[in-house]
């Protein structure tokens, strides 16, 4: 192992989570690649919309029936009297009735079929009676205009259907399709270099020498980045050696918009990551008052004539790595990718079992969610809270965000929970 490297940044008191998030957010604001590409709708899930989508036509494109029934002119309805209509034809979805419907006549119509000319009201089959070609409607069964979906009721032509910066979800793709769009203009994917550092790390499939363990972070973080919509540049695992770190960092600087690393960011004899990062740019801060976590370095790597490459150096302990990523790096990477308005508020849940908490730092407890006896969500600390215990993370539904100033959490206390599902 090589000699410890001196760190080129002043040791500072840990930042609060709020301050760290704020510093990262303002540093990356307005940065990120602006290049766009056009993709097929089927390949657009999770991509960030480059420009707003305006409705090129009304949705639905024509008035249509919301029910299976009979379409007629509502003027035939008279208060307190039964209505009698003559059936003159049939309309199905995709097969409009060609003619015009005279007052007192009606057309047998199916859901989604275009409202025939002369009609504005539908009486559902189950709310009327038919004998041969005559339909009877009891008094006060329907009002004029009932069960008709208006043209443009979902979206009127020219309305903003999807805003720029939208990270596309399944419903967005459905909406785009309903507008007749087969392709969308999206931002190019953010390229994020990823490597793990540590002499002790081995890749799954390799034999473990004494004192070694498998590199779990890289697989977990690559998957998380992929779910975020990033293109992952996997740079493998790197030994605790400043020269090797320097070489891999140069590759990241050359090829990526951001770099995510884990391990070697603390103050141990083998922790060289910060010093090597500082050679290529500026380490903004490297310690955050949170648990799990604390060692976490953020900053920029400079490169001539190009936007900086941002780095997020996570702690090595797997739970600490993932929690730090979700709490500190996730939103910044989304912002760099051009995504806007993506934040979902945390879920309020009652504490189901006391949680020990030391004031002075934010804590992120791994919790399982269930429905409490009062009908509200409740959260229970799950598995060991060790920053190395991935099994607890696997069983948990989310992170209870315990505020820095707060102490122990009692049964029934409200907590903010960040569910894992919905983070991406
Ligand atoms: P470090 O942050 O380098 O001091 O590492 C803290 C702990 O996390 C040590 O026990 C490491 O062995 C472990 N660790 C570091 N990197 C990884 C990794 N990629 N996968 C699994 N464990 C790791
Ligand atoms: Mg290490």
């Amino acid at each position: 192992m090589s000699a410890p490297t001196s760190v080129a940044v002043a040791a500072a008191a840990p930042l609060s989570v709020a301050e760290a998030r704020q510093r990262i957010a303002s540093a990356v604001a307005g940065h990120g690649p602006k290049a766009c590409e056009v993709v097929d709708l089927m390949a657009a899930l999770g991509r960030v919309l480059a420009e707003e989508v305006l409705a090129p036509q009304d949705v639905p494109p024509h008035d249509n029936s919301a029910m299976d029934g009979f379409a007629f002119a509502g003027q035939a309805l008279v208060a307190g009297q039964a209505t009698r209509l003559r059936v003159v034809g049939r309309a199905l979805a995709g097969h409009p009735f060609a003619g015009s419907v005279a007052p007192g006549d009606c057309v047998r119509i199916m859901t989604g079929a275009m409202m025939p000319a002369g009609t504005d009201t539908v009486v559902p089959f189950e709310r009327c009676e038919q004998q041969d070609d005559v339909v009877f409607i009891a008094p006060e069964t329907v009002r004029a205009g009932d069960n008709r979906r208006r043209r443009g009721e979902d979206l009127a032509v020219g309305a903003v259907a999807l805003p720029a910066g939208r990270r596309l979800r399944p419903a967005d793709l459905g909406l785009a399709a309903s507008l007749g769009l087969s392709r969308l203009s999206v931002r190019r994917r953010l390229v994020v270099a990823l490597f793990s550092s540590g002499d002790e790390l081995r890749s799954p499939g390799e034999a473990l020498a004494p004192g070694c363990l498998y590199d779990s972070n890289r697989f977990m973080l690559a998957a998380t980045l992929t779910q975020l919509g990033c293109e992952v540049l996997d740079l493998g695992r790197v030994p605790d050696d400043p020269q090797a770190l320097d070489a891999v960092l140069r590759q990241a600087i050359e090829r990526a918009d951001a770099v995510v690393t884990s391990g070697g960011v603390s103050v141990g004899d083998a922790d060289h990551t910060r010093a090597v990062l500082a050679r290529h740019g500026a380490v903004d801060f490297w310690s955050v008052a949170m648990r799990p976590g604390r060692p976490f370095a953020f900053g920029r790597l400079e490169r001539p004539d190009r936007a900086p490459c941002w780095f997020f150096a996570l702690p090595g302990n797997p739970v600490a790595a993932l929690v730090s990523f979700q709490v500190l790096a996730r939103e910044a990477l989304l912002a760099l990718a051009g995504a806007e308005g993506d934040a979902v508020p945390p879920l309020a849940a009652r504490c189901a079992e006391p949680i020990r908490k030391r004031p002075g730092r934010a804590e992120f407890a791994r919790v399982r969610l269930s429905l409490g006896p009062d009908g509200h969500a409740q959260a229970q600390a799950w598995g060991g809270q060790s920053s190395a215990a991935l099994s607890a993370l696997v069983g948990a539904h989310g992170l209870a965000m315990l505020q820095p100033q707060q102490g122990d959490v009692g049964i029934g206390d409200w907590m903010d929970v960040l569910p894992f599902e919905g983070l991406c």
Side-chain angles (χ1 to χ4, degrees):
M1 188 198 300
S2 34
T5 329
S6 67
V7 174
V9 286
L15 294 187
S16 70
V17 168
E19 198 179 342
R21 284 166 56 88
Q22 169 58 38
R23 271 164 81 154
I24 297 172
S26 52
V28 303
H31 288 277
K34 303 285 181 279
C36 304
E37 55 188 329
V38 173
V39 294
D40 284 344
L41 216 44
M42 278 295 186
L45 182 66
R47 302 300 300 268
V48 174
L49 207 53
E51 51 205 42
E52 69 181 5
V53 171
L54 300 179
Q57 60 177 61
D58 286 324
V59 181
H62 45 75
D63 287 8
N64 67 93
S65 176
M67 304 290 283
D68 295 332
F70 296 96
F72 62 101
Q75 69 190 53
L77 297 164
V78 178
Q81 288 184 22
T83 309
R84 187 190 151 99
L85 303 165
R86 187 171 62 107
V87 184
V88 295
R90 196 163 75 131
L92 289 88
H95 300 280
F97 175 73
S100 182
V101 180
D105 287 351
C106 70
V107 160
R108 190 175 168 86
I109 194 165
M110 306 304 134
T111 305
M114 192 167 159
M115 293 292 286
T119 71
D120 59 6
T121 307
V122 174
V123 60
F125 287 146
E126 59 274 23
R127 307 200 60 195
C128 60
E129 275 180 34
Q130 183 179 8
Q131 273 169 20
D132 303 323
D133 65 348
V134 178
V135 170
F136 300 94
I137 308 172
E140 271 60 72
T141 304
V142 284
R143 288 163 308 171
D146 274 2
N147 303 314
R148 168 188 48 165
R149 293 190 290 226
R150 304 296 297 256
R151 168 184 181 155
E153 154 181 310
D154 188 358
L155 275 172
V157 62
V160 176
L162 294 168
R166 174 87 180 166
R167 197 151 60 102
L168 294 164
R169 301 205 169 114
D172 303 332
L173 304 182
L175 188 71
S178 78
L179 296 171
L181 303 170
S182 61
R183 285 145 74 79
L184 290 173
S185 175
V186 297
R187 293 284 191 95
R188 82 146 163 81
R189 285 188 195 276
L190 195 73
V191 179
V192 181
L194 175 67
F195 65 88
S196 298
S197 74
D199 281 354
E200 76 281 27
L201 302 179
R202 295 292 179 271
S203 292
E206 289 179 354
L208 276 188
C212 291
L213 52 81
Y214 288 117
D215 171 10
S216 43
N217 290 351
R218 202 155 41 91
F219 296 86
M220 179 169 68
L221 293 167
T224 308
L225 289 164
T226 304
Q227 273 191 334
L228 274 188
C230 302
E231 181 181 325
V232 180
L233 178 62
D234 182 5
L235 297 178
R237 55 192 171 78
V238 184
D240 290 313
D241 167 46
Q243 258 183 317
L245 278 168
D246 194 85
V248 78
L249 212 53
R250 282 174 193 278
Q251 281 193 58
I253 292 171
E254 184 56 38
R255 298 163 62 190
D257 301 303
V259 52
V260 171
T261 73
S262 71
V265 75
S266 191
V267 292
D269 290 352
D271 293 337
H272 308 294
T273 305
R274 277 187 288 132
V276 177
L277 287 167
R279 274 188 215 161
H280 293 276
V283 178
D284 187 343
F285 61 86
W286 57 274
S287 181
V288 180
M290 64 184 279
R291 181 171 176 261
R294 189 171 174 115
F296 169 92
F298 165 73
R300 53 194 282 159
L301 302 165
E302 303 297 346
R303 39 193 184 188
D305 309 323
R306 281 172 73 191
C309 174
W310 304 92
F311 67 80
F312 303 84
L314 311 174
N317 274 311
V319 178
L322 193 66
V323 171
S324 309
F325 180 91
Q326 299 292 18
V327 173
L328 298 168
R330 177 182 177 275
E331 270 178 33
L333 291 172
L334 283 175
L336 287 169
E340 286 170 27
D342 211 57
V344 178
L347 181 80
R350 286 191 186 279
C351 179
E353 202 176 74
I355 301 179
R356 300 286 302 274
K357 159 77 172 60
R358 205 177 79 190
R361 64 186 178 196
E363 292 195 15
F364 297 87
R366 277 68 80 198
V367 294
R368 266 183 94 78
L369 290 165
S370 57
L371 203 58
D374 60 356
H376 290 295
Q378 65 175 12
Q380 181 175 10
W382 188 254
Q385 297 291 313
S386 152
S387 60
L390 266 184
S391 57
L393 211 48
V394 169
H397 291 134
L399 300 172
M401 305 192 290
L402 309 181
Q403 299 306 316
Q405 66 283 2
Q406 97 181 73
D408 292 345
V409 191
I411 292 179
D413 290 354
W414 286 104
M415 302 186 290
D416 282 340
V417 176
L418 209 56
F420 294 133
E421 292 306 318
L423 275 180
C424 282

